[in-house]
Amino acid sequence: MKKVLYLVPILSLLTGCWDQSMLNQTKLITAGGFDYTKNGKVVTTAAVPQAVATEAGQGNIMNQIFSASGFTARQSRLRLDRKVSERLEASKNQIIVFGEDAAKKDIYHLLDVFYRDPKSALNAKLAVSSGKASEIISTDFEETKQSTGVGEYLRDLIRSAEEGATIPKENIQTVCPVMFDPGQDFALPYLEPVGGKGKAVNVKGVALFRGHKMVGSIPEPLSVVYTMLTGEAATIQMSTTKKIWHKKDEDTLNFATIKVKKNKRHFNVLVSPTGEISAEIKLKTKVVISEYPQDNLSKPPEIKEIEKLLSKKLSKDAQEVIKRLQKMNSDPYGVGRKLIGFHYPTWEKLNWEEEYPKIKFKASIEVDVVGSGIIE
Amino acid sequence: MSSHSITHRQLFFLIIQSQIGVGVLSLPYSLFSKAKTDGWIALLLAGIFIQCSILAIWKLCDRFPRSTIFDILPKIMGKHLGFVFNFIYTMHFAFISILILALYNNVVGKWILFDTPHWVIIFIMAFTGAYFITSTPREMARFFTIVTPLLLILLGLILYAYTDVHLLYIFPVGEVGLSSIINSSSDAMVSLLGFDVALVFLAYTSGVPNKKLKVISFASLCVTLIYFFIVVTTFIFFNPLEIVIVPEPVLYMLKAFSFTVIERTDLVFLSVWIISVATSFISYLFVASKGVQTLFKLKKHESAAPFIALFCFLIAIIPNEKLEILTWNKYISITSLLFSGIAPIFLLLIAVIRKKREKGTASS
């Protein structure tokens, strides 16, 4: 009896209704974009997909695009909320796009609201647009009219580029530790609207960051080499096409396409007794030749030859990537992080921002052909 | 008495569940803010320090079998001083219960129930505690044993973090110096508190003394290792500059993972974590109610249960700002270190010097 008496007040407590958030009273943002206006205000653009019933009975997705400006990201979001009939929530957000100008200023200021809110989705993708973010968000995509919203479309676009190793895998949370790290930087997908009035979006390459700011970009074919050098073992479709011959008349015959099976990275940072810092990335990669229009891969010497040519070409590209990174002063491979970890006294003394572009940084890729498809 | 006694295995789970509690979430943060990347060394040191306290507690309780700390104090210090110390110890255990309530409320209010009034959140926990401690120690120990496998879920979720870690973040080792490491190991000891409930529960444990010591030490070792795993994982997940701005790194880390079915992993973690908090709270509340029983010479501790729970509830709803809770945390941590960590050693010394021991126990 006594126990029953205890139960009564407990049961009455179980019906708490303070913390409910009704789906029919909220609008879920699936894609968000940030830009700056000329006078320094933040413009937030948000895409809110709404299911619309059609006569045929099939659900159709209509994308509503809203935008508002304010002095901070949060203020612009609050103003956005005033323009929308229901309450806006970013808990199912799929992607955040920064306009190039916004990315070059500081992205942490804009992201703070996502890190601070316990409800926000930290696994949303991040991307930089070569123009304005609002252009990307409000693109009237050919591909997505019927099925999905802008958020899903852009997320899938980025995912497929990640699988193709055009860009490294990142989301809001994964960039956060790196953003704070004085010894490492990161890169985000670099998007551009294509097709006149914007019917599609193209992944142009990677946008490199230094600290919280974007400092440059690496375009598409080279960005695969960039991703390979990050030490990613392999993705589903890590492929690249390289021109390895220069003697054939028909240009197509000069090319070979490889698919990476496995990468193994040796990354060393050394400090000489005189205090000179040098870094070296050696990548051993096992590849399958997935396209070789010349069709003569039957004999081992020929394969050896191709291995040599590919290694030479890829190493050249790798060195090119490093050269660009040092020029941009972006350190995505974490040379500085290695210094902090293993040469802390050296690190404490130096000004990394000045030192990094000057260090000796070598990169090479050694190709090992392990297969050639189903023909030779 | 027999239905009150608990076995060695139950004692093990009792200690484990009392030790793992609120501390899990913020331990990496508090360790890092003082000892930087060497926080994990501080944690291991704390584990060693705690072993000393455990030895003292065990030896003390061994001199007075079947007596709780509240029976022991008057015996070694005399009736009047013993009463004063009984009061102090009761308040000490009550305040740890209060701190658990306040911290629990702080986390739940911030992460899940934003709009629910704080007193409701605290009331539910306090009420559960009041109900639980009306049972016998054996029943409590059984419950603690049943819920222990849930810890595996917590560890499994944390294990998932290894999909995205930066091993280099654990370096450099030993850069902050020994003094900061020792300094921050006191913080770690506060998170490892919970072994002190042995002061009361040892009186209920049946069996050989040596086995009891082994069980408590092993429990404390397990908890230290679990914490070590959690701390190292968060240290290599977050950047050294980032971890200082996330007071609950474990939750923050889990928030980033999402699976096909589960979007917010941190909520799953929290719901399991609440059980761990409840078990520590129940342990301490039980100990406090034992104290009240002795102070007021009650026949059963059950009659003290509603009052001590109400007391804890009323005090726990006072601090309503984050800073206030932090101040409370600071002061209660200091007193806990004093009464749970250091005092047992002194009490043992007094008992040895004054040659106090229960009649009939063989001198070793």
Side-chain angles (χ1 to χ4, degrees), chain B residues 75-113:
Chain B
K75 280 178 193 161
I76 58 175
M77 303 182 120
K79 209 177 163 193
H80 297 291
L81 206 58
F83 184 81
V84 172
F85 269 85
N86 266 350
F87 179 73
I88 292 176
Y89 259 95
T90 310
M91 287 308 277
H92 160 60
F93 286 123
F95 267 94
I96 295 184
S97 317
I98 290 165
L99 185 67
I100 293 175
L101 281 182
L103 289 173
Y104 146 82
N105 166 49
N106 188 25
V107 171
V108 170
K110 196 159 73 178
W111 282 82
I112 329 174
L113 306 172

Coordinates of all heavy atoms in Angstrom, one line a residue, chain B residues 75-113:
Chain B
K75 N 33.1 5.7 19.2 CA 34.0 4.7 19.8 C 35.4 5.2 19.9 O 36.1 4.9 20.9 CB 33.9 3.3 19.1 CG 32.6 2.6 19.5 CD 32.6 1.3 18.7 CE 31.2 0.7 18.9 NZ 31.0 -0.3 17.8
I76 N 35.9 5.8 18.9 CA 37.3 6.2 18.9 C 37.5 7.6 19.4 O 38.6 8.0 19.8 CB 38.0 6.0 17.6 CG1 37.3 6.9 16.5 CG2 38.1 4.6 17.2 CD1 38.0 6.8 15.2
M77 N 36.4 8.4 19.5 CA 36.7 9.8 19.9 C 35.9 10.2 21.1 O 36.0 11.3 21.6 CB 36.2 10.7 18.8 CG 36.9 10.5 17.5 SD 36.3 11.7 16.3 CE 37.8 12.4 15.9
G78 N 35.2 9.3 21.7 CA 34.4 9.6 22.9 C 33.0 10.0 22.5 O 32.8 10.4 21.3
K79 N 32.1 10.0 23.4 CA 30.7 10.2 23.1 C 30.4 11.6 22.5 O 29.7 11.7 21.4 CB 29.9 10.0 24.4 CG 28.5 9.5 24.1 CD 27.8 9.3 25.4 CE 26.3 9.1 25.2 NZ 25.6 9.2 26.4
H80 N 30.9 12.7 23.1 CA 30.5 14.0 22.7 C 31.2 14.4 21.4 O 30.5 14.8 20.5 CB 30.8 15.0 23.8 CG 30.0 14.7 25.0 ND1 28.7 14.9 25.1 CD2 30.4 14.2 26.2 CE1 28.3 14.6 26.3 NE2 29.3 14.1 27.0
L81 N 32.5 14.2 21.3 CA 33.2 14.6 20.1 C 32.7 13.7 19.0 O 32.5 14.1 17.8 CB 34.7 14.4 20.3 CG 35.6 15.2 19.4 CD1 35.3 16.7 19.6 CD2 37.0 14.9 19.7
G82 N 32.4 12.5 19.3 CA 31.9 11.5 18.3 C 30.5 12.0 17.8 O 30.3 11.9 16.5
F83 N 29.7 12.6 18.6 CA 28.4 13.1 18.1 C 28.6 14.2 17.1 O 28.0 14.3 16.1 CB 27.6 13.6 19.3 CG 26.2 14.0 18.9 CD1 25.2 13.1 18.7 CD2 26.0 15.4 18.8 CE1 23.9 13.6 18.3 CE2 24.7 15.8 18.4 CZ 23.7 14.9 18.2
V84 N 29.6 15.1 17.5 CA 29.9 16.3 16.6 C 30.4 15.8 15.3 O 29.9 16.2 14.2 CB 30.9 17.2 17.3 CG1 31.4 18.3 16.3 CG2 30.4 17.8 18.6
F85 N 31.3 14.8 15.3 CA 31.8 14.3 14.1 C 30.8 13.5 13.3 O 30.8 13.6 12.0 CB 33.1 13.5 14.3 CG 34.3 14.3 14.2 CD1 34.8 15.0 15.3 CD2 35.0 14.5 13.0 CE1 35.9 15.8 15.3 CE2 36.1 15.3 12.9 CZ 36.6 15.9 14.1
N86 N 29.9 12.8 14.0 CA 28.8 12.2 13.3 C 28.0 13.2 12.5 O 27.6 13.0 11.4 CB 27.9 11.5 14.3 CG 28.3 10.0 14.4 OD1 29.1 9.5 13.7 ND2 27.8 9.4 15.4
F87 N 27.7 14.3 13.2 CA 26.9 15.4 12.5 C 27.7 15.9 11.3 O 27.1 16.0 10.2 CB 26.7 16.5 13.5 CG 25.9 17.6 12.9 CD1 24.5 17.5 12.7 CD2 26.5 18.8 12.6 CE1 23.8 18.6 12.1 CE2 25.8 19.9 12.0 CZ 24.5 19.7 11.8
I88 N 29.0 16.1 11.5 CA 29.7 16.7 10.3 C 29.7 15.7 9.2 O 29.5 16.0 8.0 CB 31.2 16.9 10.8 CG1 31.2 18.1 11.7 CG2 32.1 17.2 9.5 CD1 32.6 18.4 12.3
Y89 N 29.9 14.4 9.5 CA 29.9 13.4 8.4 C 28.6 13.3 7.7 O 28.5 13.1 6.5 CB 30.4 12.0 9.0 CG 31.8 11.8 8.6 CD1 32.8 12.1 9.5 CD2 32.2 11.3 7.4 CE1 34.2 11.9 9.2 CE2 33.5 11.1 7.0 CZ 34.5 11.4 7.9 OH 35.8 11.2 7.6
T90 N 27.5 13.3 8.6 CA 26.2 13.3 7.9 C 26.0 14.4 7.0 O 25.5 14.2 5.8 CB 25.1 13.3 9.0 OG1 25.4 12.4 10.0 CG2 23.7 13.0 8.4
M91 N 26.3 15.6 7.4 CA 26.2 16.8 6.6 C 27.1 16.6 5.3 O 26.6 17.0 4.2 CB 26.6 18.1 7.3 CG 25.7 18.5 8.4 SD 24.0 18.7 7.7 CE 24.1 20.3 7.0
H92 N 28.2 16.1 5.5 CA 29.2 15.9 4.4 C 28.5 15.0 3.3 O 28.5 15.3 2.1 CB 30.5 15.3 4.9 CG 31.3 14.6 3.9 ND1 31.8 15.3 2.8 CD2 31.7 13.3 3.8 CE1 32.5 14.4 2.1 NE2 32.5 13.2 2.7
F93 N 28.0 13.9 3.8 CA 27.4 13.0 2.8 C 26.1 13.6 2.2 O 25.9 13.4 1.0 CB 27.1 11.6 3.4 CG 28.3 10.8 3.7 CD1 28.6 10.3 4.9 CD2 29.1 10.5 2.6 CE1 29.7 9.6 5.2 CE2 30.3 9.7 2.8 CZ 30.6 9.3 4.1
A94 N 25.4 14.3 3.0 CA 24.2 15.0 2.5 C 24.6 16.0 1.4 O 23.9 16.1 0.4 CB 23.4 15.7 3.6
F95 N 25.7 16.7 1.7 CA 26.1 17.7 0.7 C 26.6 17.1 -0.6 O 26.4 17.7 -1.7 CB 27.0 18.7 1.3 CG 26.3 19.9 1.9 CD1 26.0 20.0 3.2 CD2 25.9 21.0 1.0 CE1 25.2 21.0 3.7 CE2 25.3 22.1 1.5 CZ 24.9 22.1 2.9
I96 N 27.2 16.0 -0.5 CA 27.6 15.3 -1.8 C 26.4 15.0 -2.6 O 26.3 15.2 -3.8 CB 28.5 14.1 -1.5 CG1 29.8 14.5 -0.9 CG2 28.8 13.4 -2.8 CD1 30.8 13.4 -0.7
S97 N 25.3 14.4 -1.9 CA 24.1 14.1 -2.5 C 23.5 15.4 -3.2 O 23.0 15.3 -4.3 CB 23.0 13.6 -1.6 OG 23.6 12.7 -0.7
I98 N 23.6 16.5 -2.5 CA 23.0 17.7 -3.0 C 23.8 18.2 -4.3 O 23.2 18.6 -5.3 CB 23.1 18.8 -1.9 CG1 22.1 18.5 -0.8 CG2 22.9 20.2 -2.5 CD1 22.3 19.3 0.4
L99 N 25.1 18.0 -4.2 CA 26.0 18.4 -5.3 C 25.6 17.6 -6.5 O 25.5 18.1 -7.6 CB 27.4 18.3 -4.9 CG 28.4 18.8 -6.0 CD1 28.3 20.3 -6.2 CD2 29.8 18.4 -5.7
I100 N 25.4 16.3 -6.3 CA 25.1 15.4 -7.4 C 23.8 15.9 -8.0 O 23.7 16.0 -9.3 CB 24.9 13.9 -6.9 CG1 26.3 13.4 -6.5 CG2 24.3 13.0 -8.0 CD1 26.2 12.0 -5.9
L101 N 22.8 16.2 -7.2 CA 21.5 16.7 -7.7 C 21.7 18.0 -8.5 O 21.2 18.1 -9.6 CB 20.6 17.0 -6.5 CG 19.8 15.8 -5.9 CD1 18.9 16.3 -4.8 CD2 19.0 15.1 -6.9
A102 N 22.5 18.9 -8.0 CA 22.7 20.2 -8.7 C 23.4 20.0 -10.0 O 22.9 20.6 -11.0 CB 23.4 21.1 -7.8
L103 N 24.4 19.2 -10.0 CA 25.1 19.0 -11.3 C 24.3 18.3 -12.3 O 24.3 18.6 -13.5 CB 26.4 18.2 -11.0 CG 27.5 19.0 -10.3 CD1 28.7 18.1 -9.9 CD2 28.0 20.2 -11.1
Y104 N 23.6 17.3 -11.8 CA 22.7 16.5 -12.7 C 21.6 17.4 -13.3 O 21.4 17.4 -14.5 CB 22.0 15.4 -11.9 CG 20.6 15.0 -12.3 CD1 20.4 14.1 -13.3 CD2 19.5 15.5 -11.5 CE1 19.1 13.8 -13.6 CE2 18.3 15.1 -11.9 CZ 18.0 14.3 -12.9 OH 16.8 13.9 -13.3
N105 N 21.1 18.3 -12.5 CA 20.1 19.2 -13.0 C 20.7 20.2 -14.0 O 20.1 20.5 -15.0 CB 19.5 20.0 -11.8 CG 18.8 21.2 -12.2 OD1 17.9 21.2 -13.0 ND2 19.1 22.4 -11.6
N106 N 21.9 20.6 -13.7 CA 22.6 21.5 -14.6 C 22.7 20.9 -16.0 O 22.4 21.5 -17.0 CB 24.0 21.8 -14.0 CG 24.7 22.9 -14.7 OD1 24.0 23.7 -15.4 ND2 26.0 22.9 -14.7
V107 N 23.2 19.6 -16.0 CA 23.4 19.0 -17.3 C 22.1 18.7 -18.1 O 21.9 19.0 -19.2 CB 24.2 17.7 -17.1 CG1 24.2 16.9 -18.4 CG2 25.6 18.0 -16.7
V108 N 21.1 18.1 -17.3 CA 19.9 17.8 -18.0 C 19.2 19.0 -18.4 O 18.6 19.1 -19.5 CB 19.0 17.0 -17.0 CG1 17.6 16.8 -17.5 CG2 19.6 15.6 -16.7
G109 N 19.2 20.1 -17.6 CA 18.5 21.3 -18.0 C 19.2 22.0 -19.2 O 18.5 22.6 -20.0
K110 N 20.4 21.7 -19.4 CA 21.2 22.4 -20.5 C 21.1 21.6 -21.8 O 21.0 22.1 -22.9 CB 22.6 22.6 -20.1 CG 23.4 23.5 -20.9 CD 24.6 24.0 -20.2 CE 25.7 23.0 -20.1 NZ 26.9 23.5 -19.5
W111 N 21.0 20.2 -21.6 CA 21.1 19.4 -22.8 C 19.8 18.8 -23.3 O 19.6 18.6 -24.5 CB 22.1 18.2 -22.6 CG 23.5 18.7 -22.7 CD1 24.2 19.3 -21.7 CD2 24.4 18.6 -23.8 NE1 25.5 19.5 -22.1 CE2 25.6 19.2 -23.4 CE3 24.2 18.1 -25.1 CZ2 26.7 19.2 -24.3 CZ3 25.3 18.2 -25.9 CH2 26.5 18.8 -25.5
I112 N 18.9 18.5 -22.4 CA 17.6 17.9 -22.9 C 16.4 18.7 -22.5 O 15.7 19.1 -23.4 CB 17.4 16.5 -22.3 CG1 18.7 15.8 -22.0 CG2 16.5 15.7 -23.2 CD1 18.5 14.4 -21.3
L113 N 16.2 19.0 -21.3 CA 14.9 19.6 -20.9 C 15.1 21.1 -20.7 O 15.3 21.5 -19.5 CB 14.4 18.9 -19.6 CG 14.3 17.4 -19.7 CD1 13.9 16.8 -18.4 CD2 13.2 17.0 -20.7

